[in-house]
Structure formats: C-alpha cells, structure tokens
Amino acid sequence: MATTRSAHTVWEGNLLEGNGAVTFDSSGAIETQPVTWASRAQDANGKTSPEELIAAAHSSCFSMAFSNILTKGGNTPTKLVTSADVTFQPGEGITGVHLTVEGTVPGMDSEAFLLAAEDAKVNCPVSQALKAVPITLTAKLA
C-alpha cells in the first residue's frame, strides 16, 4: 500500500529578503521551521533549508535500507550512524550528496560491510529520487 507524506511552506517576500516557514503536516513530529535564502546559501543561523531536509530524509532512508540489506544477509546491525551532506551551489543547485556510515555489525568484515553499504546507497528510495546528482559514500565498521 502506497503512503503519502505532506509538508507545506508559506513564503513571504522576495527571494533574497523574504522568509518562509515549513510545516510537517503528516506527522507533526517536527515543529514548524523557519527557512530563508540566507539559511540556504550562507549560514544557517538557526533556520533550515531544503538541503538540510533532504539530508535528513537521505540519512534516515539509507539507514533503513542498509539495516534491511544487512539483516536479510544474516548480519543484523547493532547500530548504524549515518550522516548525509548535501551540497548546494547557488546558481547551479544541488551538486552532490555524501553519505557517511559507521556501523556495529557482529561477525561482519569490512569488505562485506562496504558492499552492502554500496547496495543501500544505490537502492534506497531517496537515492533513487536523487539520481540526478552524484552520491558518494564512506562506510566503516566501528
């Protein structure tokens, strides 16, 4: 069964001086967050950006996909810590994503861990949605 998750943004003013607020409609799990061009293209200053939201989505999606791949292969992870760095270049857009994962997986060697991480990188749904940009990966066992 398909699921749909929703958010909305209210934006006021022009791009450079305006501001907005992102609301997470489906879950309400995150309070409404402010967003500005400056938080996207310069310093965050306590505000979010589309790229930070993509990074959150990608790191959580990758972690779930990786956990599933490991478990199906007979190596249930004890812990996976994943970060996603989404790079935005004004005038060009999103130019890349770098995933970093460190995992505790009893009985697994580094080579098998890296192969499974590459599989998750390519096949997690968010990676699939971001095929237009390069996605790189650093993976290591704890």
mmCIF file with all atom_site columns, all heavy atoms in Angstrom, residues 57-78:
data_model
loop_
_atom_site.group_PDB
_atom_site.id
_atom_site.type_symbol
_atom_site.label_atom_id
_atom_site.label_alt_id
_atom_site.label_comp_id
_atom_site.label_asym_id
_atom_site.label_entity_id
_atom_site.label_seq_id
_atom_site.pdbx_PDB_ins_code
_atom_site.Cartn_x
_atom_site.Cartn_y
_atom_site.Cartn_z
_atom_site.occupancy
_atom_site.B_iso_or_equiv
_atom_site.pdbx_formal_charge
_atom_site.auth_seq_id
_atom_site.auth_comp_id
_atom_site.auth_asym_id
_atom_site.auth_atom_id
_atom_site.pdbx_PDB_model_num
ATOM 1   N N   . ALA A 1 57 ? 16.221 13.323  5.255  1.00 0.00 ? 57 ALA A N   1
ATOM 2   C CA  . ALA A 1 57 ? 15.498 12.245  4.576  1.00 0.00 ? 57 ALA A CA  1
ATOM 3   C C   . ALA A 1 57 ? 16.461 11.177  4.072  1.00 0.00 ? 57 ALA A C   1
ATOM 4   O O   . ALA A 1 57 ? 16.207 9.978   4.226  1.00 0.00 ? 57 ALA A O   1
ATOM 5   C CB  . ALA A 1 57 ? 14.681 12.809  3.415  1.00 0.00 ? 57 ALA A CB  1
ATOM 6   N N   . HIS A 1 58 ? 17.575 11.601  3.493  1.00 0.00 ? 58 HIS A N   1
ATOM 7   C CA  . HIS A 1 58 ? 18.500 10.642  2.908  1.00 0.00 ? 58 HIS A CA  1
ATOM 8   C C   . HIS A 1 58 ? 19.193 9.802   3.980  1.00 0.00 ? 58 HIS A C   1
ATOM 9   O O   . HIS A 1 58 ? 19.322 8.583   3.840  1.00 0.00 ? 58 HIS A O   1
ATOM 10  C CB  . HIS A 1 58 ? 19.527 11.363  2.037  1.00 0.00 ? 58 HIS A CB  1
ATOM 11  C CG  . HIS A 1 58 ? 20.093 10.507  0.957  1.00 0.00 ? 58 HIS A CG  1
ATOM 12  N ND1 . HIS A 1 58 ? 20.914 11.005  -0.005 1.00 0.00 ? 58 HIS A ND1 1
ATOM 13  C CD2 . HIS A 1 58 ? 19.976 9.184   0.675  1.00 0.00 ? 58 HIS A CD2 1
ATOM 14  C CE1 . HIS A 1 58 ? 21.264 10.034  -0.840 1.00 0.00 ? 58 HIS A CE1 1
ATOM 15  N NE2 . HIS A 1 58 ? 20.706 8.910   -0.432 1.00 0.00 ? 58 HIS A NE2 1
ATOM 16  N N   . SER A 1 59 ? 19.638 10.438  5.060  1.00 0.00 ? 59 SER A N   1
ATOM 17  C CA  . SER A 1 59 ? 20.328 9.668   6.105  1.00 0.00 ? 59 SER A CA  1
ATOM 18  C C   . SER A 1 59 ? 19.403 8.652   6.759  1.00 0.00 ? 59 SER A C   1
ATOM 19  O O   . SER A 1 59 ? 19.813 7.517   7.041  1.00 0.00 ? 59 SER A O   1
ATOM 20  C CB  . SER A 1 59 ? 20.953 10.593  7.159  1.00 0.00 ? 59 SER A CB  1
ATOM 21  O OG  . SER A 1 59 ? 19.969 11.281  7.900  1.00 0.00 ? 59 SER A OG  1
ATOM 22  N N   . SER A 1 60 ? 18.146 9.002   6.961  1.00 0.00 ? 60 SER A N   1
ATOM 23  C CA  . SER A 1 60 ? 17.223 8.052   7.590  1.00 0.00 ? 60 SER A CA  1
ATOM 24  C C   . SER A 1 60 ? 16.817 6.953   6.614  1.00 0.00 ? 60 SER A C   1
ATOM 25  O O   . SER A 1 60 ? 16.755 5.773   6.989  1.00 0.00 ? 60 SER A O   1
ATOM 26  C CB  . SER A 1 60 ? 16.003 8.762   8.173  1.00 0.00 ? 60 SER A CB  1
ATOM 27  O OG  . SER A 1 60 ? 15.289 9.470   7.191  1.00 0.00 ? 60 SER A OG  1
ATOM 28  N N   . CYS A 1 61 ? 16.581 7.299   5.356  1.00 0.00 ? 61 CYS A N   1
ATOM 29  C CA  . CYS A 1 61 ? 16.213 6.294   4.355  1.00 0.00 ? 61 CYS A CA  1
ATOM 30  C C   . CYS A 1 61 ? 17.360 5.306   4.140  1.00 0.00 ? 61 CYS A C   1
ATOM 31  O O   . CYS A 1 61 ? 17.147 4.094   4.115  1.00 0.00 ? 61 CYS A O   1
ATOM 32  C CB  . CYS A 1 61 ? 15.857 6.992   3.046  1.00 0.00 ? 61 CYS A CB  1
ATOM 33  S SG  . CYS A 1 61 ? 15.316 5.874   1.743  1.00 0.00 ? 61 CYS A SG  1
ATOM 34  N N   . PHE A 1 62 ? 18.574 5.827   3.977  1.00 0.00 ? 62 PHE A N   1
ATOM 35  C CA  . PHE A 1 62 ? 19.742 4.969   3.786  1.00 0.00 ? 62 PHE A CA  1
ATOM 36  C C   . PHE A 1 62 ? 19.897 4.015   4.967  1.00 0.00 ? 62 PHE A C   1
ATOM 37  O O   . PHE A 1 62 ? 20.142 2.824   4.786  1.00 0.00 ? 62 PHE A O   1
ATOM 38  C CB  . PHE A 1 62 ? 21.014 5.812   3.616  1.00 0.00 ? 62 PHE A CB  1
ATOM 39  C CG  . PHE A 1 62 ? 22.265 4.995   3.590  1.00 0.00 ? 62 PHE A CG  1
ATOM 40  C CD1 . PHE A 1 62 ? 22.747 4.467   2.402  1.00 0.00 ? 62 PHE A CD1 1
ATOM 41  C CD2 . PHE A 1 62 ? 22.961 4.740   4.768  1.00 0.00 ? 62 PHE A CD2 1
ATOM 42  C CE1 . PHE A 1 62 ? 23.901 3.690   2.380  1.00 0.00 ? 62 PHE A CE1 1
ATOM 43  C CE2 . PHE A 1 62 ? 24.116 3.955   4.755  1.00 0.00 ? 62 PHE A CE2 1
ATOM 44  C CZ  . PHE A 1 62 ? 24.581 3.437   3.557  1.00 0.00 ? 62 PHE A CZ  1
ATOM 45  N N   . SER A 1 63 ? 19.759 4.528   6.187  1.00 0.00 ? 63 SER A N   1
ATOM 46  C CA  . SER A 1 63 ? 19.918 3.692   7.380  1.00 0.00 ? 63 SER A CA  1
ATOM 47  C C   . SER A 1 63 ? 18.911 2.550   7.397  1.00 0.00 ? 63 SER A C   1
ATOM 48  O O   . SER A 1 63 ? 19.259 1.406   7.731  1.00 0.00 ? 63 SER A O   1
ATOM 49  C CB  . SER A 1 63 ? 19.755 4.530   8.653  1.00 0.00 ? 63 SER A CB  1
ATOM 50  O OG  . SER A 1 63 ? 20.810 5.457   8.778  1.00 0.00 ? 63 SER A OG  1
ATOM 51  N N   . MET A 1 64 ? 17.672 2.842   7.034  1.00 0.00 ? 64 MET A N   1
ATOM 52  C CA  . MET A 1 64 ? 16.651 1.787   6.999  1.00 0.00 ? 64 MET A CA  1
ATOM 53  C C   . MET A 1 64 ? 16.957 0.752   5.915  1.00 0.00 ? 64 MET A C   1
ATOM 54  O O   . MET A 1 64 ? 16.885 -0.455  6.168  1.00 0.00 ? 64 MET A O   1
ATOM 55  C CB  . MET A 1 64 ? 15.267 2.395   6.781  1.00 0.00 ? 64 MET A CB  1
ATOM 56  C CG  . MET A 1 64 ? 14.726 3.108   7.999  1.00 0.00 ? 64 MET A CG  1
ATOM 57  S SD  . MET A 1 64 ? 13.012 3.637   7.739  1.00 0.00 ? 64 MET A SD  1
ATOM 58  C CE  . MET A 1 64 ? 13.297 5.360   7.405  1.00 0.00 ? 64 MET A CE  1
ATOM 59  N N   . ALA A 1 65 ? 17.323 1.236   4.728  1.00 0.00 ? 65 ALA A N   1
ATOM 60  C CA  . ALA A 1 65 ? 17.640 0.312   3.628  1.00 0.00 ? 65 ALA A CA  1
ATOM 61  C C   . ALA A 1 65 ? 18.861 -0.535  3.967  1.00 0.00 ? 65 ALA A C   1
ATOM 62  O O   . ALA A 1 65 ? 18.870 -1.754  3.727  1.00 0.00 ? 65 ALA A O   1
ATOM 63  C CB  . ALA A 1 65 ? 17.883 1.100   2.340  1.00 0.00 ? 65 ALA A CB  1
ATOM 64  N N   . PHE A 1 66 ? 19.880 0.082   4.541  1.00 0.00 ? 66 PHE A N   1
ATOM 65  C CA  . PHE A 1 66 ? 21.109 -0.630  4.887  1.00 0.00 ? 66 PHE A CA  1
ATOM 66  C C   . PHE A 1 66 ? 20.839 -1.683  5.956  1.00 0.00 ? 66 PHE A C   1
ATOM 67  O O   . PHE A 1 66 ? 21.294 -2.830  5.860  1.00 0.00 ? 66 PHE A O   1
ATOM 68  C CB  . PHE A 1 66 ? 22.164 0.375   5.337  1.00 0.00 ? 66 PHE A CB  1
ATOM 69  C CG  . PHE A 1 66 ? 23.560 -0.151  5.457  1.00 0.00 ? 66 PHE A CG  1
ATOM 70  C CD1 . PHE A 1 66 ? 23.985 -1.288  4.771  1.00 0.00 ? 66 PHE A CD1 1
ATOM 71  C CD2 . PHE A 1 66 ? 24.477 0.512   6.249  1.00 0.00 ? 66 PHE A CD2 1
ATOM 72  C CE1 . PHE A 1 66 ? 25.296 -1.745  4.882  1.00 0.00 ? 66 PHE A CE1 1
ATOM 73  C CE2 . PHE A 1 66 ? 25.782 0.063   6.359  1.00 0.00 ? 66 PHE A CE2 1
ATOM 74  C CZ  . PHE A 1 66 ? 26.195 -1.072  5.683  1.00 0.00 ? 66 PHE A CZ  1
ATOM 75  N N   . SER A 1 67 ? 20.069 -1.323  6.965  1.00 0.00 ? 67 SER A N   1
ATOM 76  C CA  . SER A 1 67 ? 19.704 -2.270  8.016  1.00 0.00 ? 67 SER A CA  1
ATOM 77  C C   . SER A 1 67 ? 18.980 -3.475  7.423  1.00 0.00 ? 67 SER A C   1
ATOM 78  O O   . SER A 1 67 ? 19.253 -4.628  7.788  1.00 0.00 ? 67 SER A O   1
ATOM 79  C CB  . SER A 1 67 ? 18.828 -1.582  9.061  1.00 0.00 ? 67 SER A CB  1
ATOM 80  O OG  . SER A 1 67 ? 18.383 -2.516  10.016 1.00 0.00 ? 67 SER A OG  1
ATOM 81  N N   . ASN A 1 68 ? 18.078 -3.220  6.491  1.00 0.00 ? 68 ASN A N   1
ATOM 82  C CA  . ASN A 1 68 ? 17.319 -4.295  5.855  1.00 0.00 ? 68 ASN A CA  1
ATOM 83  C C   . ASN A 1 68 ? 18.235 -5.203  5.038  1.00 0.00 ? 68 ASN A C   1
ATOM 84  O O   . ASN A 1 68 ? 18.135 -6.434  5.118  1.00 0.00 ? 68 ASN A O   1
ATOM 85  C CB  . ASN A 1 68 ? 16.215 -3.703  4.979  1.00 0.00 ? 68 ASN A CB  1
ATOM 86  C CG  . ASN A 1 68 ? 15.279 -4.758  4.452  1.00 0.00 ? 68 ASN A CG  1
ATOM 87  O OD1 . ASN A 1 68 ? 14.826 -5.634  5.179  1.00 0.00 ? 68 ASN A OD1 1
ATOM 88  N ND2 . ASN A 1 68 ? 14.990 -4.687  3.165  1.00 0.00 ? 68 ASN A ND2 1
ATOM 89  N N   . ILE A 1 69 ? 19.138 -4.611  4.275  1.00 0.00 ? 69 ILE A N   1
ATOM 90  C CA  . ILE A 1 69 ? 20.078 -5.397  3.460  1.00 0.00 ? 69 ILE A CA  1
ATOM 91  C C   . ILE A 1 69 ? 20.967 -6.262  4.353  1.00 0.00 ? 69 ILE A C   1
ATOM 92  O O   . ILE A 1 69 ? 21.178 -7.450  4.083  1.00 0.00 ? 69 ILE A O   1
ATOM 93  C CB  . ILE A 1 69 ? 20.920 -4.460  2.567  1.00 0.00 ? 69 ILE A CB  1
ATOM 94  C CG1 . ILE A 1 69 ? 20.048 -3.888  1.451  1.00 0.00 ? 69 ILE A CG1 1
ATOM 95  C CG2 . ILE A 1 69 ? 22.138 -5.183  1.988  1.00 0.00 ? 69 ILE A CG2 1
ATOM 96  C CD1 . ILE A 1 69 ? 20.653 -2.701  0.730  1.00 0.00 ? 69 ILE A CD1 1
ATOM 97  N N   . LEU A 1 70 ? 21.491 -5.677  5.421  1.00 0.00 ? 70 LEU A N   1
ATOM 98  C CA  . LEU A 1 70 ? 22.355 -6.425  6.337  1.00 0.00 ? 70 LEU A CA  1
ATOM 99  C C   . LEU A 1 70 ? 21.597 -7.576  6.984  1.00 0.00 ? 70 LEU A C   1
ATOM 100 O O   . LEU A 1 70 ? 22.090 -8.712  7.049  1.00 0.00 ? 70 LEU A O   1
ATOM 101 C CB  . LEU A 1 70 ? 22.929 -5.497  7.409  1.00 0.00 ? 70 LEU A CB  1
ATOM 102 C CG  . LEU A 1 70 ? 23.937 -4.467  6.926  1.00 0.00 ? 70 LEU A CG  1
ATOM 103 C CD1 . LEU A 1 70 ? 24.220 -3.446  8.023  1.00 0.00 ? 70 LEU A CD1 1
ATOM 104 C CD2 . LEU A 1 70 ? 25.231 -5.126  6.461  1.00 0.00 ? 70 LEU A CD2 1
ATOM 105 N N   . THR A 1 71 ? 20.386 -7.291  7.472  1.00 0.00 ? 71 THR A N   1
ATOM 106 C CA  . THR A 1 71 ? 19.592 -8.309  8.152  1.00 0.00 ? 71 THR A CA  1
ATOM 107 C C   . THR A 1 71 ? 19.218 -9.442  7.205  1.00 0.00 ? 71 THR A C   1
ATOM 108 O O   . THR A 1 71 ? 19.335 -10.622 7.566  1.00 0.00 ? 71 THR A O   1
ATOM 109 C CB  . THR A 1 71 ? 18.333 -7.675  8.775  1.00 0.00 ? 71 THR A CB  1
ATOM 110 O OG1 . THR A 1 71 ? 18.753 -6.669  9.713  1.00 0.00 ? 71 THR A OG1 1
ATOM 111 C CG2 . THR A 1 71 ? 17.489 -8.713  9.491  1.00 0.00 ? 71 THR A CG2 1
ATOM 112 N N   . LYS A 1 72 ? 18.800 -9.110  5.987  1.00 0.00 ? 72 LYS A N   1
ATOM 113 C CA  . LYS A 1 72 ? 18.468 -10.147 5.005  1.00 0.00 ? 72 LYS A CA  1
ATOM 114 C C   . LYS A 1 72 ? 19.689 -10.998 4.674  1.00 0.00 ? 72 LYS A C   1
ATOM 115 O O   . LYS A 1 72 ? 19.549 -12.170 4.335  1.00 0.00 ? 72 LYS A O   1
ATOM 116 C CB  . LYS A 1 72 ? 17.901 -9.520  3.735  1.00 0.00 ? 72 LYS A CB  1
ATOM 117 C CG  . LYS A 1 72 ? 16.469 -9.100  3.874  1.00 0.00 ? 72 LYS A CG  1
ATOM 118 C CD  . LYS A 1 72 ? 15.928 -8.579  2.552  1.00 0.00 ? 72 LYS A CD  1
ATOM 119 C CE  . LYS A 1 72 ? 14.447 -8.296  2.657  1.00 0.00 ? 72 LYS A CE  1
ATOM 120 N NZ  . LYS A 1 72 ? 13.912 -7.805  1.369  1.00 0.00 ? 72 LYS A NZ  1
ATOM 121 N N   . GLY A 1 73 ? 20.889 -10.423 4.798  1.00 0.00 ? 73 GLY A N   1
ATOM 122 C CA  . GLY A 1 73 ? 22.121 -11.160 4.548  1.00 0.00 ? 73 GLY A CA  1
ATOM 123 C C   . GLY A 1 73 ? 22.607 -11.934 5.763  1.00 0.00 ? 73 GLY A C   1
ATOM 124 O O   . GLY A 1 73 ? 23.699 -12.514 5.735  1.00 0.00 ? 73 GLY A O   1
ATOM 125 N N   . GLY A 1 74 ? 21.838 -11.908 6.845  1.00 0.00 ? 74 GLY A N   1
ATOM 126 C CA  . GLY A 1 74 ? 22.197 -12.655 8.047  1.00 0.00 ? 74 GLY A CA  1
ATOM 127 C C   . GLY A 1 74 ? 23.099 -11.916 9.014  1.00 0.00 ? 74 GLY A C   1
ATOM 128 O O   . GLY A 1 74 ? 23.689 -12.525 9.899  1.00 0.00 ? 74 GLY A O   1
ATOM 129 N N   . ASN A 1 75 ? 23.195 -10.594 8.868  1.00 0.00 ? 75 ASN A N   1
ATOM 130 C CA  . ASN A 1 75 ? 24.065 -9.785  9.730  1.00 0.00 ? 75 ASN A CA  1
ATOM 131 C C   . ASN A 1 75 ? 23.299 -8.594  10.291 1.00 0.00 ? 75 ASN A C   1
ATOM 132 O O   . ASN A 1 75 ? 23.488 -7.454  9.863  1.00 0.00 ? 75 ASN A O   1
ATOM 133 C CB  . ASN A 1 75 ? 25.276 -9.280  8.939  1.00 0.00 ? 75 ASN A CB  1
ATOM 134 C CG  . ASN A 1 75 ? 26.162 -10.400 8.476  1.00 0.00 ? 75 ASN A CG  1
ATOM 135 O OD1 . ASN A 1 75 ? 26.807 -11.046 9.272  1.00 0.00 ? 75 ASN A OD1 1
ATOM 136 N ND2 . ASN A 1 75 ? 26.174 -10.643 7.176  1.00 0.00 ? 75 ASN A ND2 1
ATOM 137 N N   . THR A 1 76 ? 22.443 -8.838  11.254 1.00 0.00 ? 76 THR A N   1
ATOM 138 C CA  . THR A 1 76 ? 21.647 -7.758  11.836 1.00 0.00 ? 76 THR A CA  1
ATOM 139 C C   . THR A 1 76 ? 22.564 -6.757  12.540 1.00 0.00 ? 76 THR A C   1
ATOM 140 O O   . THR A 1 76 ? 23.361 -7.147  13.401 1.00 0.00 ? 76 THR A O   1
ATOM 141 C CB  . THR A 1 76 ? 20.616 -8.328  12.828 1.00 0.00 ? 76 THR A CB  1
ATOM 142 O OG1 . THR A 1 76 ? 19.779 -9.244  12.112 1.00 0.00 ? 76 THR A OG1 1
ATOM 143 C CG2 . THR A 1 76 ? 19.782 -7.226  13.443 1.00 0.00 ? 76 THR A CG2 1
ATOM 144 N N   . PRO A 1 77 ? 22.469 -5.480  12.177 1.00 0.00 ? 77 PRO A N   1
ATOM 145 C CA  . PRO A 1 77 ? 23.336 -4.486  12.804 1.00 0.00 ? 77 PRO A CA  1
ATOM 146 C C   . PRO A 1 77 ? 22.888 -4.186  14.238 1.00 0.00 ? 77 PRO A C   1
ATOM 147 O O   . PRO A 1 77 ? 21.691 -4.186  14.533 1.00 0.00 ? 77 PRO A O   1
ATOM 148 C CB  . PRO A 1 77 ? 23.170 -3.254  11.928 1.00 0.00 ? 77 PRO A CB  1
ATOM 149 C CG  . PRO A 1 77 ? 21.813 -3.392  11.326 1.00 0.00 ? 77 PRO A CG  1
ATOM 150 C CD  . PRO A 1 77 ? 21.598 -4.880  11.164 1.00 0.00 ? 77 PRO A CD  1
ATOM 151 N N   . THR A 1 78 ? 23.870 -3.931  15.089 1.00 0.00 ? 78 THR A N   1
ATOM 152 C CA  . THR A 1 78 ? 23.575 -3.457  16.437 1.00 0.00 ? 78 THR A CA  1
ATOM 153 C C   . THR A 1 78 ? 23.296 -1.962  16.395 1.00 0.00 ? 78 THR A C   1
ATOM 154 O O   . THR A 1 78 ? 22.398 -1.463  17.062 1.00 0.00 ? 78 THR A O   1
ATOM 155 C CB  . THR A 1 78 ? 24.768 -3.733  17.376 1.00 0.00 ? 78 THR A CB  1
ATOM 156 O OG1 . THR A 1 78 ? 25.052 -5.125  17.342 1.00 0.00 ? 78 THR A OG1 1
ATOM 157 C CG2 . THR A 1 78 ? 24.468 -3.303  18.794 1.00 0.00 ? 78 THR A CG2 1
#
